[in-house]
């Protein structure tokens, strides 16, 4: 977690087990019996090994059996269904970084896709039937965030907005993943605006504070950071 994001950062408190080879029951318990509400934003990053069998895409778990994935594996689409059951949950980003992840799109009923909020979106790092190269997406994601933090991000990124414009961010991810790894990013329920699931790493609220002035002159106030840099000794 990035402490510079302050109150915009995500926390894994209560969900730490998901990062340590969880079994099916652990995953289901944590995702179906949580207390997500309208004030929450959820980011779920699914990585490891994925495989389609008998027309269903599965997250292969540590105790899964080849040829019997339905016995001890997790149907990937269930992750989306479980989160969708939280009717008040408005802000969700699910990243499925698994081989053949694009197969999941066909498993989400059109009726469910139509009722997902505009602020929900799902990124699948490999199209149907294709492999996701190890470390490809995570490497591109890390480099893009580093570039944005350094001021070298895509056109439209800046340091005055607390959250990133999702279409620009996803478009840059798509382009880099394609150029660097010949891998196609699939977007389900594409967002069209700024997303609270994408905190801007360049934004610093303290640097955007203005100098205290009277109400009549507030629109003309300098940024406090500019005053500190150029006027105070």
């Amino acid at each position: 977690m990035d402490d510079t994001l302050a109150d915009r950062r995500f926390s894994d408190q209560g969900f730490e087990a998901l990062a340590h080879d969880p079994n099916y029951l652990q995953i289901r318990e944590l995702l179906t019996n949580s207390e997500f509400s309208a004030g929450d934003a959820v980011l779920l990053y699914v990585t490891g090994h994925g495989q389609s069998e008998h027309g269903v895409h599965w997250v292969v778990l540590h105790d899964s059996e080849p040829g019997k994935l339905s016995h001890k594996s997790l149907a990937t689409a269930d992750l989306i269904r479980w989160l969708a059951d939280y009717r008040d949950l408005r802000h969700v980003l699910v990243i499925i970084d698994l081989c053949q992840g694009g197969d999941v799109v066909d498993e989400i009923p059109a009726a469910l896709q139509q009722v997902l909020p505009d602020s929900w979106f799902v990124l699948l790092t490999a199209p149907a039937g294709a492999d996701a190269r190890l470390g490809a997406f995570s490497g591109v994601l890390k480099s893009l965030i580093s570039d944005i933090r350094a001021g070298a991000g895509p056109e439209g990124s800046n340091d005055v907005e607390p959250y990133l414009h999702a279409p620009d961010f996803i478009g840059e991810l798509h382009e880099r993943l394609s150029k660097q790894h010949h891998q196609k990013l699939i977007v389900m329920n594409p967002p069209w605006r700024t997303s609270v699931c994408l905190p801007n790493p360049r934004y610093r609220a303290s640097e955007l504070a203005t100098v205290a002035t009277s109400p009549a002159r507030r629109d003309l106030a300098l940024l406090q950071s500019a005053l500190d840099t150029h006027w105070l000794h």
Side-chain angles (χ1 to χ4, degrees):
M1 294 180 290
D2 187 343
D3 290 339
T4 64
L5 296 177
D7 59 356
R8 295 171 297 127
R9 68 179 179 177
F10 285 92
S11 171
D12 64 352
Q13 185 175 358
F15 297 90
E16 298 90 343
L18 293 180
H20 301 284
D21 274 341
N23 60 35
Y24 173 83
L25 292 177
Q26 287 177 303
I27 299 170
R28 187 181 68 180
E29 174 66 21
L30 285 171
L31 294 184
T32 62
N33 289 295
S34 294
E35 297 182 354
F36 297 132
S37 66
D40 294 318
V42 173
L43 168 59
L44 180 63
Y45 191 123
V46 186
T47 189
H49 180 51
Q51 183 178 336
S52 289
E53 185 176 277
H54 305 311
V56 178
H57 187 272
W58 302 93
V59 181
V60 179
L61 305 175
H62 64 87
D63 56 350
S64 298
E65 298 181 38
K68 298 180 180 179
L69 294 182
S70 61
H71 292 192
K72 293 184 179 180
S73 300
L74 168 64
T76 311
D78 279 348
L79 296 169
I80 300 170
R81 296 189 187 98
W82 291 340
L83 291 175
D85 283 339
Y86 294 93
R87 302 299 183 185
D88 294 332
L89 186 58
R90 310 301 298 173
H91 302 285
V92 175
L93 166 56
V94 179
I95 301 174
I96 299 176
D97 190 9
L98 300 168
C99 291
Q100 305 169 25
D103 291 346
V104 176
V105 175
D106 293 333
E107 297 177 38
I108 303 299
L112 175 57
Q113 294 192 41
Q114 291 172 2
V115 300
L116 292 179
D118 291 339
S119 46
W120 269 66
F121 56 109
V122 180
L123 303 182
L124 305 118
T125 68
D131 290 339
R133 295 188 178 184
L134 181 64
F137 178 81
S138 59
V140 165
L141 178 62
K142 183 178 180 180
S143 67
L144 177 54
I145 291 173
S146 296
D147 287 348
I148 292 173
R149 182 179 287 113
E155 184 178 356
S157 60
N158 55 60
D159 59 1
V160 299
E161 298 293 340
Y163 300 98
L164 298 173
H165 189 244
D168 293 341
F169 182 79
I170 294 172
E172 186 67 18
L173 276 177
H174 185 284
E175 183 175 350
R176 293 189 184 200
L177 190 63
S178 177
K179 285 185 176 180
Q180 297 176 23
H181 301 284
H182 306 290
Q183 196 165 306
K184 183 178 181 181
L185 184 67
I186 306 297
V187 185
M188 194 176 85
N189 205 40
W192 52 272
R193 58 185 176 184
T194 298
S195 171
V196 299
C197 292
L198 298 172
N200 182 357
R202 284 193 71 198
Y203 176 79
R204 297 291 184 273
S206 59
E207 295 178 7
L208 295 174
T210 56
V211 178
T213 64
S214 65
R217 305 179 66 181
R218 193 158 293 154
D219 289 344
L220 302 177
L222 291 170
L223 291 179
Q224 183 66 51
S225 60
L227 184 66
D228 293 344
T229 301
H230 300 294
W231 295 94
L232 299 182
H233 300 283

